[in-house]
Amino acid sequence: MEYLYSTGATLLAYLLGSLSFAVIVSRALGLEDPRSYGSKNPGATNVLRSGSKAAAVATLLLDGLKGWLPVVLVKWFGGDYGMGEGTVALVGLAAFLGHLYPVFFQFKGGKGVATAAGVLLGISGWLGLATLVTWLIVAYFSRYSSLASLAAAVFAPLYYLFGDRAAWYVDKSILVVMIAISALLLLRHRDNINKLLKGTESKLGSGKQAVRK
């Protein structure tokens, strides 16, 4: 029975993650499909290129929420149904994979930065905060959203390890999932890495004109 509860929670987390809020919010506000302009990535950064900050903020928060919610629900209530840290790890990964490969949108999703941040915040508020601060610092000084995301992806598992026995106790299943999420984030940003190396990557605030490109 515990196996069924864990499987059900993981499936629901994937379905929640499959809600591509960049597309949903854009449609609701009468904006162009974010998959049709700019980087063509259904994420908050590309939605910002539409010129609607409200749509970008809503996308960011909702994409983060779908990573955070399944994790904290299992943490809060899963113990009564035999679900422990292993299930916490599974639902976090499932929500993230849902964003990357959404069943409702032909398995063509975004890069998963906001959803990954939500998962981290669900695992530990301090862990999520440390990772978000890393993103903000790198983004502020470099003006590259992609570089900030790459740095946050690399540092998140390290923060989790360094915080062992000080802020939390490291769980092997959660650590493995965090490393997997970080690896997938790096993989999804491979085009951005190439552009950064070539010096052609767009900086924050410079892409509003990309809507019609």
Side-chain angles (χ1 to χ4, degrees):
M1 186 60 72
E2 294 175 1
Y3 172 78
L4 290 176
Y5 285 136
S6 181
T7 301
T10 301
L11 176 59
L12 289 174
Y14 170 75
L15 293 175
L16 178 61
S18 291
L19 296 175
S20 184
F21 285 111
V23 179
I24 294 171
V25 169
S26 295
R27 287 178 180 173
L29 296 180
L31 303 173
E32 290 187 58
D33 190 320
R35 297 169 297 181
S36 68
Y37 61 79
S39 66
K40 297 182 172 28
N41 175 61
T45 301
N46 200 41
V47 171
L48 185 60
R49 293 188 173 100
S50 71
S52 174
K53 292 182 179 179
V57 171
T59 298
L60 179 68
L61 293 177
L62 289 170
D63 279 348
L65 179 65
K66 71 184 185 184
W68 175 84
L69 187 60
V71 171
V72 296
L73 287 178
V74 172
K75 288 183 67 175
W76 292 343
F77 307 110
D80 294 335
Y81 301 93
M83 293 185 285
E85 295 299 302
T87 305
V88 170
L90 284 174
V91 297
L93 179 61
F96 179 73
L97 289 175
H99 181 84
L100 266 57
Y101 309 105
V103 67
F104 304 124
F105 294 87
Q106 296 80 48
F107 301 101
K108 297 177 181 178
K111 295 176 181 175
V113 176
T115 304
V119 171
L120 295 179
L121 285 167
I123 292 171
S124 168
W126 289 113
L127 175 62
L129 180 62
T131 307
L132 287 173
V133 168
T134 300
W135 190 97
L136 289 170
I137 291 173
V138 177
Y140 178 80
F141 285 104
S142 73
R143 309 305 298 171
Y144 289 115
S145 174
S146 57
L147 183 60
S149 299
L150 291 168
V154 170
F155 277 99
L158 297 177
Y159 290 149
Y160 186 60
L161 281 173
F162 293 155
D164 187 28
R165 303 181 186 280
W168 48 72
Y169 287 93
V170 167
D171 179 84
K172 290 182 180 179
S173 58
I174 289 179
L175 177 60
V176 169
V177 161
M178 287 182 60
I179 293 173
I181 288 176
S182 294
L184 285 168
L185 282 171
L186 295 176
L187 180 63
R188 299 290 280 196
H189 281 80
R190 58 189 181 277
D191 289 339
N192 302 91
I193 294 173
N194 288 330
K195 290 180 180 179
L196 285 167
L197 293 173
K198 294 176 181 178
T200 58
E201 177 73 329
S202 298
K203 290 189 175 184
L204 287 168
S206 65
K208 290 182 180 180
Q209 71 274 16
V211 174
R212 297 295 176 183
K213 286 184 178 180

